[in-house]
Structure formats: structure tokens, C-alpha cells
Amino acid sequence: MAVPESNLVAAVERMSRALEQLAAAPSVRAVLDEVVRSAVGTLRAWHGSVSWWDEEGTLRTVVTPGLPEDVAAATAALLMRQPLGTAEAPRVYSATGLGLHTLLEGEPSLRERVAPSALMAYPVFLAEGARVGVLVGWFREPPLPGEEVVRRFGLYAQLAGIALAKDRMVEDFRRMAARARAEAEHAEVLRLSRFQEVTEAFSRALTRTEVARAVLALGLPAVGAQAGTVHLVVPEGQHVELTASVGLAPEVEAELRRMPREGAMPGHEVARTREPVWLESSEELHARYPELAARPGMGAWPAFAFLPLLAEGRVMGVIGFGFGEPRRFSGPERSSMLGLARQCGLAMERALLYEREHAARLQAEAAGQRLRLLADASALLAHSLEWEETVEGVARLAVGAFADLCIVDALEERQVRRLAVLHVDPGCEEVARRLKAFAPDPERSSIVAAMRQGRPLLEPRMTPERAAERMGNPDVARLVQELGVHSFITAPLIARQRTLGALSFVRVGEARPYMEEDVALAEELARRAALAMDNARLFRATRAAEEESRRSAARLHLLVRVSQLVAEAGLNLGQVLEVLVHEVAEAIGDGCILQLVSEDGQFLEPAAVHHPEPAARRLLEQAVIVRRLRVGEGLQGAATSMGQTILLGALEPQTLDGTGPEAALRPYLERHGPQSAMVVPLVAHGRARGSLLVLREARGRPYGKDDQLLLESIASRAALAIEDARLYAAALQALRQRDDFLSVAGHELKNPLNALQLQLRVLARKVREDNLSDSLAERADRVARTGERLGLLIEDLLDVSRINAGQLRLQLGEVDLCSVARDAVSRMAEELSRAGCEVRVEAPAPVVGLWDRLRLEQVVLNLLSNAAKYGQGRPVLVRVEAAPGQARLSVRDEGYGIAPEEHERIFQRFQRAEATRHIQGLGLGLWICRQIAESHGGSLRVKSQPGQGSTFMLELPRPESGTKPPPA
């Protein structure tokens, strides 16, 4: 569309002003305000707005005067949910008649405020293509501008995107500058804080070693060094010893461990002159101290600083720093490191005073510590009745306080058993564990000698030769030397004139050796521990008796549980067997196999197998089906024939004969290892019915007398339950045979009976036609009716057998229930007339459903027959009606009636109401009718009161009008 020249010039001017604002605007809002104004002028719009998401996820909006900002922001939020294209292919969104437009669906208040207006929206993108907002032109009424104006509108949207991108870029630069300033300030603060941390660490350090470690751990980062050492002057002043180091290889550290104070090393010079040594390059190191430069590993640090640790004019030691690259030590750096060394020296002086004071305090506390150790041991022994834990607890109390290493040995049935070896240093746990594995030599060990003599044994100085003599085992002697043992006391554990073991207290390294005064404490600890051990032994004997009582209760509980579960399984033989093997396997073993004697009494038949692991269960199942065992053959056959329990301590695969009865168990044993086995016979009424085999790992507790008594009790109960279940199954089989016989007999009787009925009908008709005699005609009719009644009884018996066998089949088709009712009434007219019952049928409209017509006729005929028999000659009403999804047929008589408590009983087989027992019948008709109704998915019920008649209601499912009936 052509645009007037004046409009084009105005648009260019507006664009220029927007670009100027973009270049010089103090804020993005000012630029966007100009962009919106220019866009409104170009579009000749009513109002304009631009909305965007800032970096914090807040929606910002700029509007022209007169346009509510909340309206523009809410509309923009809806617009930004629309598909507005991409940065490469933006899409314009136009909407007219906003009051009715789908954009404002669900926003009734917003519709009212913008109802008469229209809008055009253009997406706003950043340079990287991310959509951040939308530029909107608001119009009073359509039409909207043409293509050229829309293109310019898009240019304003691009300007808005550029302004937003610039604002974000400026903000990023501002944050980066602030971050750089903060990092520089942080670096300076970090350096100062590191020196402050060193000072604070000095104030916390209590020993010279702690001071040395603190100055290296915190001082190295503070001065920028990669390695460091602290050497201290020994008390005699002739040597310096390495107290702490960082960054040194083990071989270098070993060479610098102890050096003479007089030497040609830089540390020696510092110790002598009290002046620092600065080595700024490798060349300077080689020139001044070639001995140090020649040492292995020194080439890794081309620059060094060695500083004296001074306190009150005395040299406490030397600190050295190694740097990873050559460097010039500036004045401030040297001042900082010297200040650090001075503080370290003063801290060393304070630590030395503390160590001396601490040593004096330790000596004063030694007697009190011994008393506390005895008190703690007494408290520990008084609160525990587990003697192994108690004696080991005494040993733990002694470790650290009285000994570096403590050994506990127990004397059980003239055999020495090592209970524990405890070391104060966790790093020596492995050596202590190896020492625990060696029992004392009964002939040469000093521990056994102390037990035999009944008095403590002191070894104040343990030499290697003496250790070999005392231990009686060269391997133990080597372990003792490896631990650095140099002194020990062994005190026997004696209580009530019985020697129960020994406690050995050992000191290693440079600890003070044991003296005579220490023997009394060791003896007192051993005496109290021995008394606790003896009390614990007595307690264990009592607890063993209680445990046996608990086991007996547990056995009784298991027997009750098995009996209960077997009772719940009822007379179902399969359930009884599964419950039995499952409970036995869970309680007594891992695997369980139950086999029963066959009907001929010659073989064992697999009945049930259980194992908690499916793979193991399959192996056991395969084992029992591979070979059919004869009674008397194999473990289970032998137990069955003898009627006795068989116990095997370990059934191993290599001991099985390849052709023997148990050879099939080899795959199971090879996979699960040797098994303890027990087989008990299942005896009921003096006869073995089978056997029960249980298996569990031989590494566990082998089967004993308790297990045998428990399994035999379970087996005796199980045998009775199995016998009952078998008898029940036999009874069910007999019932099935009876039903089969009735079915066959019924079919066989129907044919001659049908012929007899035909002849009787012919005879009755002939008598009536020939007018032979009224009495003869009546008798012929009576005989014909008797034949019909006999036919109905046979048909009822056949239906009973069909229903019991689940063979009642329905021939479904489209049936009118009204037609069924009328036909049945017609067929029963003569019988109802003889009974004096007038029948009325109410079936105003057809009621059609998908049913079996013959079976429904059988139900209706039976209900009409009952009405004739029990209706006392009074009227009978048959009603057919339809309800939603249902059809209902009811037969109402005014006869005897039925008591409410008998409403359900009359629908059972061979059951009749008490009031009508004088009337002949088998009591099968209503039961058969209900079975037919339920097979259709319906029901048959009665509403009745004594003396008020009865209403039998047949309800059948019926599809709703217009729905397709289910397939037959």
C-alpha cells in the first residue's frame, strides 16, 4: 500500500529520535517510552504499550498516557502465551472486538475495560533470539494498518529489543566491574585474614608441635610458599629436630629429621647468627649452600627463606619456607615473614612453659587417675552381665590411661582362648588383629605361667631376646617387636578360688616402663574383672534355663500356629500340604519335601515341596520327580516303613552314590553346600501315611533332640489333617459319582416314561371317547397326571445333577416375557382349574430381553404349580412389568404364606416351608428356579407373611432402550 510522503518523513523522524534515545538515554524506560510514542504515531493508533520480562522474572510495562498500565500488563501476559513466531520469522497478532475475542477468555473484568477496542501486537526479541516481550498498538475500531505500516511497527519492536539488550549488557558490565573490585578487595582481606588465622591458631596451640603445625598449615598460604619445615632446638642444645613439615618427600624428610646444630646448612647459620637467610634463586642456593642444593628433591624449590624463632633473645628453632619459582623478596614480604616468625617464637615459648606445667600436673594427677580407673572399672563391672564385653570394657578403660596395649585371655576347660587385643593407636589395629590370632603357648608363655602360679608377673624391661623367651612363639615375638613392646604386667583373673584367665597390660615406644607400684593397680583391676566374670557365668546358667523355657514356649506356639493354619485350610488336601511344608521350612529348615504313600501302599508320591528361594525349590522339585521311591527305599522310604525319625548331621554331594535313592539331591547339595537332614514319618491311626524331609545348611546349628520332638509333634498333627482331607476328597468323589448316577438314571428313565405317558394319554382319551365308565375315565386321568408328575420329578433330578456339574447351559435369544407368562398360564390352566384358582395376567406391553425361553418357562410353570398347590383355591395374579435396565415377573397367591425366617431356606435344596409340609414335594423346584435366574444374571425372591399369601418375584437384567444386547 502506498504511503504519503509526509507520513514517511514523519516516520523517519520518529525513528531517528528513538535511535537517539537508544544511544543516549539514561534508562531503558525512557527509550522504550519514546519507541512506544513513535510506534503510536506511525500506526495512528489510539494508545501504545510495550511489556517485557526483566532478568528477575518480573513483568515490566511502559504505556502512553491514558492507557491503564495494569490493563496493558494483563493483556501482554496473555499475548506472550500466544504463538508469535521466532526472531527470524516473527508473527503479528491482531484482534478486533476484544470484548468478544478468545484472547480474553476467562478474564471478564478485563473484557469490560477493553470491550470496544482492537489491538495489534508484535513480539520483541533479544539479539540471541530469546523472546522477552511484546509491543502493542491499541485502536478504537478496525480496520488495522496495512503491510508497510506493520513492517515499520516491526522495526520499532526491533528497537525495543535492542534497547532491552543494551540495558542488560550495561547491567552485566556494571556487575562485572563490581565483581572485579570485590575480588581485589577479597584477595587483600584474605591475605590479612590468613595472618590473623595464624595468630589465632598460635593462641589455641598448647604444645610446640601444635604451634609448628599451625604455622605451616596456615602460614604457607599466607606467604605463598609450597613447602615448609620447623626445626626445634633440643633441651641439651646440641641438635635440632624436625617437628613439622609440609610438602617434603618422605626420603627428604627422613634426612632432615635430626641434625647437629653446628653445620653448613642455612638452618644452622640462622640458629647460630639469629639472622634470617633469603635465597631468591637456584644459582644463589648452589653458590651459598651446595650441601643443601645437592640433597635429593631440593631442585623443586628455587627460592627459600629461613627465619629464626626467637623468644627473649633465645633461639627456639628455625622455620623454613620453600617457593616453587624464583622470586624477589620485597621489603613488606620480608617484614611479614619476620613478624610471622617472631609470633611463632613467642608461641613456642608459651608452649614450652605449658608443657613443663603440664608434665608437673600429670605427675600430680597420676594417683587420682588410678583411683578413677578403678572407680570406672567398678561401675562398668556392676552394670553388665556379659562377661566377655565386661572384661573387654575394663581393657578399653586401661588402654590409654594405664597401658598402650591390653590383651585379654580366658581359660575355658583348660584351654586358653584370646578374647581381645586392644591398642591405643588406631593405626596399629592390623598388627593387633594378627596378635589376637595367636593363642598363648601352654608350655612357655608368661601369660600361662601367671595363670598357673596365680600371681601377677612384671616385666619392666623387655629386650628382643627376653620377648622370644617369654612369648614361646617366634611369630608372636616378631609382632611384639613390631609393636615396640618394652614393658608389661600380666595379672591372673581369679575369683572364688578359680582361675578364669589373665589380663596383660603393655607399654610401647617411649612410654614410662612399669614399676612395682603399678602391679597393685593391675592386680586390683584383674580381681574386679574376675569377680564380674564369675557372676556373669552364674547369670548365663540361669539365662540358659530361661532360654530353654522360652524355646519350649516357642515350640508350643509353632504347634498352635500350624494347627490353626491347617484348620483354616479346611479339608482341601492341596492347601493342607502347602501350609504344612511352608511353615515347617520357615520354622525348622530351609527346604522341605513331603511325600505320601500311594493308594497301593508300594510307593511314595511327591505331594508338596517348599524352599524360600525359587531356584532352590525347582531343584528340590526335580529331585523328587526324577525317581519314584518305594516304601523302605531311601531316607523318606525308610522312615515311612520303620515309622521312626532319621537324623543326618551332614549330607554331602561327594558321599552320595550315583545310583542311590538320594542321588537326585546332588545338584541341590552342590549349589547350596552340605545339608543337615531330618526325616519324620507321618503316622495316623497307627499307619504311616508318608514322610516329611527337612534340610538346612550343615554350617548352622545341626538338628537335635528339640528339633526332632517339634517336627514329630507337627507331623502327628499333619498326618491326621492329611487323613481327614483324603477322606473328605473321597466323600466328594462319592458325591460326584452319585450325581453322575442320577444323571444317567434320569436319562435312562425318561425314554420308557415318555412311552408310558403317551400310552396313558391314549388310554384316557379312548375311555372318554367310548364312554366306558366315568370312574374309569377319572382313574385314567389320575394315572396320566401321576406319570406327568413323575416326569417332572425326573427332570428336576436331572437339573440338580446338571447344576452341580456346572453343565446348566442357556440358549439365549430374544424372548418376550409377557408371551412366556401367557403360554405358561395356558399350559397350567387345567391344573389351576382343578385347584380352584382363578388366574389373572397383567402384561400390558411386551417386555423383551435376551434370555433362554425354555428355562424361563420352567421357572414360571414351577411358580404357577406352587400357587396351585399352596394357594388354597384362591385367585392368582401374574404380573409382567419393565423397569430401567430390568424386567420383573411376579406370581401372587393368597394361600398359606411363609414366615420371614423361612424366606431363604425354601430356596435351598430339599427344603420346604413348615406350614406346607403336609403337601407332597421334593423341595427342589425353587432351588432350581433360583439357579436359573442367577445364571441369567438375575434373582428370584419372595415376599410373604403367614396367612397373607406369597409373592414370588423373578427379576432379570434387560438392556436399556437403544443399547445393543450382549452376545449370546
Side-chain angles (χ1 to χ4, degrees), residues 706-881:
D706 293 344
D707 299 313
Q708 179 180 346
L709 292 175
L710 176 59
L711 192 58
E712 286 176 348
S713 299
I714 294 175
S716 63
R717 289 164 171 78
L720 292 174
I722 291 171
E723 183 68 14
D724 292 343
R726 276 186 163 180
L727 293 175
Y728 177 70
L732 290 180
Q733 181 64 24
L735 290 175
R736 283 193 292 269
Q737 291 175 354
R738 181 204 65 185
D739 291 338
D740 292 343
F741 170 76
L742 289 177
S743 177
V744 173
H747 282 290
E748 293 298 327
L749 289 173
K750 284 186 68 175
N751 292 331
L753 182 61
N754 289 337
L756 177 61
Q757 288 177 340
L758 179 61
Q759 295 298 322
L760 289 174
R761 292 191 191 99
V762 171
L763 177 61
R765 186 170 64 251
K766 185 67 173 174
V767 169
R768 286 193 299 270
E769 291 175 351
D770 295 342
N771 295 321
L772 296 178
S773 168
D774 291 341
S775 62
L776 184 60
E778 182 181 352
R779 290 176 182 176
D781 289 337
R782 189 180 299 122
V783 171
R785 288 197 299 272
T786 302
E788 291 177 357
R789 187 179 301 111
L790 182 59
L792 292 175
L793 291 176
I794 292 174
E795 189 63 34
D796 285 347
L797 289 176
L798 286 175
D799 282 340
V800 170
S801 64
R802 291 190 193 104
I803 293 171
N804 287 337
Q807 296 176 356
L808 183 64
R809 298 289 184 263
L810 301 180
Q811 301 296 326
L812 300 181
E814 195 172 85
V815 178
D816 181 6
L817 194 58
C818 296
S819 174
V820 172
R822 292 190 186 97
D823 291 347
V825 170
S826 176
R827 291 173 58 182
M828 292 292 297
E830 183 178 354
E831 182 177 346
L832 291 167
S833 177
R834 285 196 304 268
C837 296
E838 179 186 352
V839 181
R840 182 163 54 93
V841 179
E842 293 183 0
V847 179
V848 181
L850 195 65
W851 305 308
D852 186 329
R853 182 182 182 90
L854 293 178
R855 289 298 180 182
L856 293 186
E857 287 180 352
Q858 181 181 351
V859 173
V860 178
L861 288 173
N862 188 283
L863 296 179
L864 289 172
S865 177
N866 285 345
K869 287 191 289 186
Y870 309 124
Q872 293 182 308
R874 297 174 183 173
V876 175
L877 174 63
V878 178
R879 177 179 295 161
V880 180
E881 54 190 342

Side-chain angles (χ1 to χ4, degrees), residues 93-133:
Y93 186 90
S94 299
T96 60
L98 287 176
L100 300 175
H101 200 274
T102 57
L103 176 66
L104 303 181
E105 260 183 347
E107 301 287 342
S109 60
L110 193 57
R111 282 179 183 273
E112 293 177 2
R113 300 180 67 182
V114 300
S117 58
L119 63 81
M120 181 172 67
Y122 203 97
V124 177
F125 296 92
L126 295 179
E128 64 271 17
R131 191 177 77 182
V132 294

Side-chain angles (χ1 to χ4, degrees), residues 65 174 186 216 233 288 396 399 535 792 810 857 872:
R174 186 180 297 113
H186 177 70
L216 291 182
V233 178
R288 294 182 58 183
R396 290 187 183 278
V399 169
N535 292 337
L792 292 175
L810 301 180
E857 287 180 352
Q872 293 182 308

Side-chain angles (χ1 to χ4, degrees), residues 286-363:
H286 282 80
R288 294 182 58 183
Y289 302 102
E291 182 181 349
L292 178 62
R295 290 183 180 270
M298 289 297 108
W301 304 291
F304 290 92
F306 295 93
L307 312 170
L309 303 177
L310 301 174
E312 298 181 358
R314 293 187 301 108
V315 177
M316 305 293 297
V318 178
I319 184 171
F321 295 116
F323 299 88
E325 58 185 15
R327 62 185 297 168
R328 293 288 181 182
F329 296 104
S330 63
E333 288 178 334
R334 297 190 180 198
S335 297
S336 297
M337 283 189 276
L338 287 172
L340 182 64
R342 282 195 296 273
Q343 292 185 30
C344 184
L346 294 174
M348 287 288 184
E349 176 67 16
R350 290 195 301 271
L352 179 60
L353 294 176
Y354 172 80
E355 289 174 0
R356 292 173 178 171
E357 186 273 336
H358 182 66
R361 188 170 62 251
L362 288 178
Q363 292 178 357

Side-chain angles (χ1 to χ4, degrees), residues 924-944:
L924 288 174
L926 288 178
W927 179 77
I928 294 173
C929 290
R930 174 170 278 189
Q931 298 300 314
I932 293 173
E934 291 178 351
S935 67
H936 279 83
S939 63
L940 179 64
R941 55 193 177 89
V942 65
K943 293 176 63 177
S944 180

Side-chain angles (χ1 to χ4, degrees), residues 525-851:
L525 285 172
R527 186 186 66 79
R528 300 187 184 193
L531 186 60
M533 287 176 65
D534 201 46
N535 292 337
R537 288 177 186 273
L538 296 175
F539 173 74
R540 278 192 175 182
T542 304
R543 192 167 61 179
E546 294 176 353
E547 184 64 26
E548 177 59 29
S549 175
R550 281 194 295 270
R551 284 199 296 268
S552 299
R555 288 195 296 270
L556 179 60
H557 175 74
L558 179 60
L559 287 174
V560 172
R561 174 177 171 78
V562 171
S563 300
Q564 180 181 359
L565 291 175
V566 168
E568 291 174 356
L571 295 173
N572 187 315
L573 181 60
Q575 292 185 12
V576 170
L577 297 178
E578 287 299 325
V579 165
L580 179 62
V581 297
H582 181 275
E583 291 300 320
V584 169
E586 294 292 332
I588 302 178
D590 299 326
C592 182
I593 300 174
L594 189 150
Q595 300 199 68
L596 298 178
V597 177
S598 60
E599 293 295 334
D600 58 8
Q602 300 298 316
F603 295 93
L604 289 178
E605 302 288 352
V609 177
H610 183 77
H611 196 286
E613 298 179 12
R617 186 184 308 169
R618 287 192 292 271
L619 290 175
L620 291 176
E621 289 172 348
Q622 293 171 4
V624 297
I625 65 175
V626 166
R627 178 175 178 180
R628 191 183 187 195
L629 294 178
R630 288 184 174 274
V631 174
E633 184 181 17
L635 293 175
Q636 292 192 262
T640 303
S641 64
M642 296 186 301
Q644 296 180 356
T645 301
I646 298 176
L647 288 175
L648 286 179
L651 192 61
E652 300 183 5
Q654 60 270 22
T655 62
L656 297 180
D657 184 0
T659 60
E662 271 63 54
L665 288 173
R666 186 187 300 275
Y668 176 82
L669 298 176
E670 289 175 347
R671 177 164 182 171
H672 295 275
Q675 301 285 306
S676 294
M678 179 167 52
V679 189
V680 296
L682 300 173
V683 180
H685 307 299
R687 179 182 173 190
R689 309 295 179 177
S691 61
L692 189 62
L693 167 67
V694 290
L695 300 167
R696 70 183 178 197
E697 291 187 6
R699 291 192 299 270
R701 184 172 60 87
Y703 287 120
K705 193 64 176 178
D706 293 344
D707 299 313
Q708 179 180 346
L709 292 175
L710 176 59
L711 192 58
E712 286 176 348
S713 299
I714 294 175
S716 63
R717 289 164 171 78
L720 292 174
I722 291 171
E723 183 68 14
D724 292 343
R726 276 186 163 180
L727 293 175
Y728 177 70
L732 290 180
Q733 181 64 24
L735 290 175
R736 283 193 292 269
Q737 291 175 354
R738 181 204 65 185
D739 291 338
D740 292 343
F741 170 76
L742 289 177
S743 177
V744 173
H747 282 290
E748 293 298 327
L749 289 173
K750 284 186 68 175
N751 292 331
L753 182 61
N754 289 337
L756 177 61
Q757 288 177 340
L758 179 61
Q759 295 298 322
L760 289 174
R761 292 191 191 99
V762 171
L763 177 61
R765 186 170 64 251
K766 185 67 173 174
V767 169
R768 286 193 299 270
E769 291 175 351
D770 295 342
N771 295 321
L772 296 178
S773 168
D774 291 341
S775 62
L776 184 60
E778 182 181 352
R779 290 176 182 176
D781 289 337
R782 189 180 299 122
V783 171
R785 288 197 299 272
T786 302
E788 291 177 357
R789 187 179 301 111
L790 182 59
L792 292 175
L793 291 176
I794 292 174
E795 189 63 34
D796 285 347
L797 289 176
L798 286 175
D799 282 340
V800 170
S801 64
R802 291 190 193 104
I803 293 171
N804 287 337
Q807 296 176 356
L808 183 64
R809 298 289 184 263
L810 301 180
Q811 301 296 326
L812 300 181
E814 195 172 85
V815 178
D816 181 6
L817 194 58
C818 296
S819 174
V820 172
R822 292 190 186 97
D823 291 347
V825 170
S826 176
R827 291 173 58 182
M828 292 292 297
E830 183 178 354
E831 182 177 346
L832 291 167
S833 177
R834 285 196 304 268
C837 296
E838 179 186 352
V839 181
R840 182 163 54 93
V841 179
E842 293 183 0
V847 179
V848 181
L850 195 65
W851 305 308

